[in-house]
Amino acid sequence: MRMPLPSAAAAALAVATAALVVLPGAAFAAEAPAASSFTISDPRIKESSGLAASRIHPGVYWTHNDSDDGPYVYAVDSATGRTVARLTLTGIGKPRDVEAISLGPDGQLYVGDIGDNRNGTWDHVWIYRFPEPKQLADATVKATQFTVRYADGPRNAEALMVHPVTGRVYIASKDESKGGVYEGPAELSADGSNVFRRVADAPWVTDGAFSPDGNRLTLRGYFTARTYPWKDGRPEGEGERVDAPWQGQAESVTYTPDGSTLMFGAEGEGSRVIAVPASQASPGAPASPKPGSPSGAAPSPEPTGGFGKGAVVLAVGLAVVFVAKRLLRRRG
């Protein structure tokens, strides 16, 4: 049965629309296996701002709220999305703006109270450190508090990364054009200040994580993520783009313990933590943008921001237009 001309045009439009809407979603589903992704179900976790994969509790991820929650760290079971432990930290002052968490090779969790709601005016921030509990249950734990200052003055930051081999702590500041990666001293001291010194540029970073072998550093922003080779204590080159999911208030990233998968998290009640294979980077991606969201960049309309999916969508759309034109010619 030959389709009437208006119906043929409508069908072509429908196919084009389906290509634009369904295709990215399908590709996204392939990148985020349902068995690995999970939803945080605890209503107390409304501003998950950091993620760290447990090494002694398989499938468990440590997280925390942003500001206005208290000295709490939560353990979430990725199999169910439920909180299996809430730790209350003692031995520290009142947290101001907790933004990141990382697990060191010493088996201790490092919590970064490094945000600055005053846009880089606090003359110091803090890091809290405590051993990862061997048992998962609500508990009170004593933490050590470290004072942090930057060699080039105060700044806002949301990413804290502990190198899994050397144990050295790094912070990435959050600034649209002047952000950078800062290296802490070889060992943190609870006495006096720990001065962090800039070792690389990295604009607009909301979180970062080292691969378990310490050879790569992934930095994410609201719209993009890039993975860099780690060499001589700093990220090298322009990195490779990672197909990070679109998550709105994108705030966190961590590697799974085996290094095969990146877990991307976001703020919001009932937020989704999305798994993306760590090998899915785009080596042919242009050098710009760098980590995070560059100046003047617009958010990608595709869920994962991948150039490859956009090209496929464009190709399908062009093919549909071509078929429609052929139909029009035949009707003529």
Side-chain angles (χ1 to χ4, degrees):
M1 180 178 178
R2 179 172 288 182
M3 190 178 297
L5 181 60
S7 298
L13 178 61
V15 173
T17 302
L20 292 173
V21 175
V22 176
L23 184 58
F28 174 78
E31 291 174 0
S36 298
S37 303
F38 64 96
T39 298
I40 297 175
S41 62
D42 191 333
R44 297 173 296 181
I45 306 175
K46 298 179 180 180
E47 294 184 322
S48 176
S49 295
L51 281 175
S54 172
R55 292 200 192 102
I56 59 178
H57 305 293
V60 168
Y61 291 85
W62 296 97
T63 189
H64 53 81
N65 281 311
D66 199 330
S67 52
D68 301 326
D69 182 35
Y72 305 120
V73 176
Y74 302 81
V76 179
D77 182 359
S78 62
T80 63
R82 297 177 180 175
T83 296
V84 290
R86 185 176 83 157
L87 306 181
T88 302
L89 307 187
T90 62
I92 64 173
K94 181 180 180 181
R96 287 188 301 202
D97 192 357
V98 180
E99 292 287 355
I101 187 169
S102 184
L103 184 60
D106 54 2
Q108 301 202 76
L109 286 161
Y110 293 70
V111 178
D113 190 356
I114 55 176
D116 191 337
N117 291 326
R118 296 182 180 179
N119 198 29
T121 58
W122 286 325
D123 64 353
H124 68 278
V125 290
W126 300 297
I127 293 172
Y128 313 128
R129 186 182 70 190
F130 60 94
E132 181 179 18
K134 294 181 180 179
Q135 302 295 327
L136 291 175
D138 290 356
T140 299
V141 297
K142 184 174 178 56
T144 302
Q145 178 171 302
F146 302 97
T147 299
V148 170
R149 286 186 169 86
Y150 301 96
D152 52 359
R155 59 206 57 251
N156 185 28
E158 295 190 2
L160 178 145
M161 302 80 62
V162 182
H163 194 274
V165 177
T166 66
R168 200 154 195 159
V169 182
Y170 295 84
I171 293 174
S173 65
K174 180 184 177 184
D175 188 279
E176 187 173 7
S177 59
K178 299 178 182 179
V181 176
Y182 289 79
E183 178 187 72
E187 292 185 12
L188 296 180
S189 173
D191 300 321
S193 296
N194 296 273
V195 178
F196 278 61
R197 304 183 186 280
R198 189 184 186 101
V199 295
D201 295 335
W204 211 256
V205 175
T206 60
D207 202 13
F210 283 107
S211 60
D213 59 10
N215 292 332
R216 291 166 290 161
L217 173 66
T218 295
L219 299 174
R220 81 166 303 179
Y222 290 128
F223 310 123
T224 64
R226 298 184 80 83
T227 295
Y228 298 81
W230 185 260
K231 187 177 180 180
D232 299 327
R234 66 190 63 202
E236 187 176 64
E238 300 296 336
E240 296 179 341
R241 186 175 60 198
V242 179
D243 282 338
W246 164 247
Q247 292 180 291
Q249 192 73 12
E251 290 283 335
S252 56
V253 64
T254 191
Y255 279 85
T256 52
D258 64 0
S260 67
T261 305
L262 283 161
M263 306 296 289
F264 290 92
E267 289 191 1
E269 188 171 351
S271 62
R272 186 81 172 152
V273 176
I274 298 174
V276 174
S279 60
Q280 287 201 354
S282 305
S288 181
K290 289 184 179 181
S293 174
S295 177
S300 169
E302 298 179 20
T304 61
F307 172 78
K309 290 184 287 298
V312 173
V313 171
L314 178 60
V316 173
L318 291 174
V320 170
V321 171
F322 175 76
V323 172
K325 286 183 177 180
R326 292 290 298 271
L327 288 172
L328 288 171
R329 288 173 182 171
R330 288 181 180 178
R331 293 292 296 178

